Amino acid sequence: MNQIKSKGVVPWQSPSNIAIVKYWGKHGSQLPKNPSFSLTLSAAYTRTTARFIIHQTEQKNNVSVSLDGAEQPAFIPKITQFLDRVSDDYPFLNRIELHLETHNSFPHSSGIASSASAMSALALIIADIGGRSGDLQEISRISRLGSGSASRSIFPYGSIWGVSNEVPGSSDYFGIGMEDRMHPVFKTFCDAILIVKSGEKAVSSTAGHGLMASHPFAETRYANARNRLSHLTKALETGDVATFGEICEKEALELHALMMCSDPPYILMEPKTLEMIQCVLKFRKASGIPMYFTLDAGPNLHLLYPVENRNKVSDFIQKELIQYCENGKWIDDAVGTGPNKIMQS
Ligand code: PMV
């Protein structure tokens, strides 16, 4: 029996991640239609402090959540849905009074995977209260039930979620850490996140996954992703940055192309996103710097590159890309080592 705490304060910080091979399309209980790989980030994170009491009697939605001090009733349905999904394995959740105080280091719902960091932070809290805080596989599994991509935020450096024949131990139910199968060049990779627009997305990821169920190119898409993942795992091991970059950009464009030919179709890129992509391609050709773009389900551009190019890429951003960023905002991020329990002062 795991030791369950009855009352207390549990604070966790969990990072976002950036998918290189994208998860897009799901079935059953948050199971992916194809395997995906992401790099774990460090500067883009969610910090959540939970204050909780486990009562003797059943509690009906005795949950509150605030973001930077402001109550957020709009977040509650997602949180209670998540608690419901994991309550079979963590029955104390039926008796919990839970107050969450949360902070994102980046704009909420901007296409940066806030659901990945927020849901993995919550999963870390639940596992901690339930006495399973060291069990990364279990934490990844319950993170998945909050948000698929959250299953990958638990691990240092990088993670694969979804069965891939080439990767022993991979599973549709939880992510696995790729630390031992990643060349050092990728463990210090940088990710400049250029914020084109920080508002709510017009179409949520949940709706986007849903549209894949009847998408005319769904099967081709899943085959492409599987195939790319197998090439990517080799590139990750050998430090083949060029192959990594090629896959990264194809995946970004394919993800957005899928949105544009869903029924109904929709567009999450902004004109500024495309302008930045053109600038990036031109700069790469002229400079020879191995710098590659990707996108999540939103308009913000991620630029991925090896750390030794940091100064040159920062100069390029300042000179050419900052004009496209909302209020000049970008996040100078890099691959990171995963979640942390925050020490309380
Ligand atoms: O985890 P969700 O349901 O928010 O879906 C995330 C989908 C993408 O960010 C577009 C791709 C991915 O693999 O992270």
Side-chain angles (χ1 to χ4, degrees):
M1 250 314 255
N2 292 308
Q3 194 61 40
I4 296 166
K5 303 176 175 103
S6 64
K7 185 179 176 187
V9 181
V10 180
W12 276 91
Q13 175 173 315
S14 192
S16 184
N17 64 71
I18 180 66
I20 308 306
V21 171
K22 313 285 184 187
Y23 150 58
W24 200 240
K26 62 179 172 180
H27 65 105
S29 57
Q30 300 268 97
L31 298 169
K33 283 290 207 173
N34 64 265
S36 56
F37 169 81
S38 60
L39 294 171
T40 303
L41 296 177
S42 69
Y45 61 78
T46 297
R47 263 186 191 182
T48 301
T49 300
R51 289 168 211 283
F52 70 95
I53 302 171
I54 312 286
H55 291 276
Q56 298 295 333
T57 52
E58 190 171 327
Q59 302 293 299
K60 278 259 168 285
N61 300 335
N62 197 350
V63 175
S64 72
V65 56
S66 65
L67 177 68
D68 298 325
E71 288 294 317
Q72 300 292 333
F75 292 3
I76 290 188
K78 262 215 138 162
I79 294 169
T80 50
Q81 181 189 49
F82 171 66
L83 299 178
D84 267 5
R85 285 179 182 166
V86 294
S87 62
D88 279 353
D89 295 316
Y90 297 82
F92 64 83
L93 292 175
N94 296 314
R95 293 181 283 111
I96 200 166
E97 175 184 338
L98 185 62
H99 302 289
L100 302 168
E101 288 158 22
T102 190
H103 164 75
N104 280 340
S105 66
F106 53 87
H108 157 68
S109 284
S110 60
I112 301 180
S114 66
S115 64
S117 54
M119 286 300 173
S120 55
L122 190 50
L124 284 150
I125 286 166
I126 302 303
D128 194 341
I129 297 172
R132 300 191 68 169
S133 64
D135 187 345
L136 298 192
Q137 182 170 310
E138 168 62 5
I139 298 164
S140 173
R141 184 188 73 81
I142 60 172
S143 295
R144 180 195 105 236
L145 295 169
S147 162
S149 55
S151 66
R152 300 181 311 235
S153 274
I154 302 303
F155 303 95
Y157 308 114
S159 170
I160 279 180
W161 167 47
V163 171
S164 165
N165 293 337
E166 267 98 331
V167 185
S170 59
S171 167
D172 284 352
Y173 290 87
F174 48 82
I176 58 168
M178 289 293 284
E179 178 174 0
D180 297 342
R181 295 177 238 191
M182 283 168 70
H183 187 278
V185 69
F186 294 115
K187 294 185 182 174
T188 52
F189 237 57
C190 296
D191 180 10
I193 311 172
L194 301 143
I195 312 291
V196 172
K197 205 171 163 204
S198 62
E200 293 272 340
K201 287 182 279 180
V203 180
S204 69
S205 292
T206 308
H209 287 295
L211 290 170
M212 286 305 290
S214 56
H215 201 288
F217 302 132
E219 290 313 315
T220 307
R221 159 63 196 155
Y222 303 140
N224 283 352
R226 275 192 281 275
N227 186 26
R228 288 190 190 127
L229 192 87
S230 83
H231 286 104
L232 180 66
T233 50
K234 287 182 198 90
L236 287 171
E237 265 175 347
T238 57
D240 180 350
V241 172
T243 300
F244 170 95
E246 192 185 318
I247 292 171
C248 182
E249 293 188 348
K250 282 181 176 163
E251 279 287 301
L253 295 176
E254 189 163 295
L255 172 70
H256 283 258
L258 286 163
M259 296 172 190
M260 290 184 213
C261 53
S262 289
D263 187 10
Y266 63 106
I267 304 174
L268 292 184
M269 277 193 213
E270 292 285 327
K272 285 177 181 168
T273 313
L274 272 178
E275 285 188 68
M276 284 207 278
I277 289 175
Q278 302 293 11
C279 271
V280 167
L281 298 180
K282 221 163 118 191
F283 177 74
R284 182 166 73 222
K285 202 162 177 200
S287 67
I289 292 175
M291 172 186 77
Y292 302 94
F293 70 84
T294 191
L295 297 159
D296 258 333
N300 303 319
L301 199 72
H302 291 245
L303 280 187
L304 293 157
Y305 60 92
V307 65
E308 68 259 27
N309 304 293
R310 200 165 202 159
N311 290 341
K312 284 187 182 144
V313 172
S314 292
D315 283 353
F316 162 63
I317 291 171
Q318 294 300 341
K319 281 198 194 105
E320 297 195 40
L321 298 184
I322 206 112
Q323 57 176 314
Y324 301 111
C325 298
E326 187 180 77
N327 303 322
K329 181 138 179 62
W330 67 285
I331 301 171
D332 188 10
D333 210 341
V335 168
T337 52
N340 287 307
K341 189 160 183 176
I342 309 159
M343 290 302 141
Q344 288 175 288
S345 47

